[in-house]
Amino acid sequence: MNRIFIEGLDLPVLIGVPDDERADWQVLPANVTFTPRLSFAAMNDAIDATIDYQAVANRLRALAAARPRALIETLASEMADCLLTEFAATWTRIELRKRILPGTDCVGVVVERAGE
């Protein structure tokens, strides 16, 4: 299986369970992996045959910043849906991390989803 990944994508977000946490912008790092419809060999070195990772990064940043959310679980799920529907990926894995819990590096979620 051929996969494309974006590691450490900074996402500006208003997110958190308490209202005061959602009042300030945070930056969450995301690791995003996805599979294009064609194998790399079948792309014949044509940019229009793959998924443009710059377009993916821009869209996911816009999605994250579009509205406040309480849960990182919600954002990760929306990001997976976006890749499968808007970019026609056949599979995706979204990993989000958040520095919020005292005494830990981070908490995080992972969503893996296959398209139709």
Side-chain angles (χ1 to χ4, degrees), residues 2-4 34-40 43 49-51 88-90:
N2 297 276
R3 294 185 175 153
I4 298 169
F34 49 94
T35 303
R37 293 211 178 275
L38 294 177
S39 71
F40 291 169
M43 291 178 187
T50 191
I51 297 174
T90 60

Side-chain angles (χ1 to χ4, degrees), residues 99-115:
R99 297 185 59 95
I100 191 67
L101 192 59
T104 67
D105 288 337
C106 66
V107 297
V109 297
V110 174
V111 171
E112 285 190 34
R113 198 169 292 157

Side-chain angles (χ1 to χ4, degrees), residues 55-67:
V56 168
N58 291 341
R59 177 64 181 109
L60 294 181
R61 283 189 185 111
L63 176 71
R67 65 179 180 83

Side-chain angles (χ1 to χ4, degrees), residues 1 5 33 39 52 66 76 78 84 87 96-97 108:
M1 183 176 292
F5 68 90
T33 306
S39 71
D52 181 344
E78 291 173 3
L84 296 174
F87 292 93
L96 289 180
R97 296 171 186 243

Side-chain angles (χ1 to χ4, degrees), residues 3-5 7 12-13 21 25-26 31 33 42 46 49 53 69-70 75 77 86-88 91 94 98 109 113:
R3 294 185 175 153
I4 298 169
F5 68 90
E7 190 157 330
V13 295
E21 186 182 354
W25 286 95
Q26 302 173 52
N31 294 328
T33 306
Y53 48 81
R69 293 170 189 82
L75 178 57
S77 182
E86 295 180 30
F87 292 93
W91 174 89
I94 307 291
K98 184 176 176 184
V109 297
R113 198 169 292 157

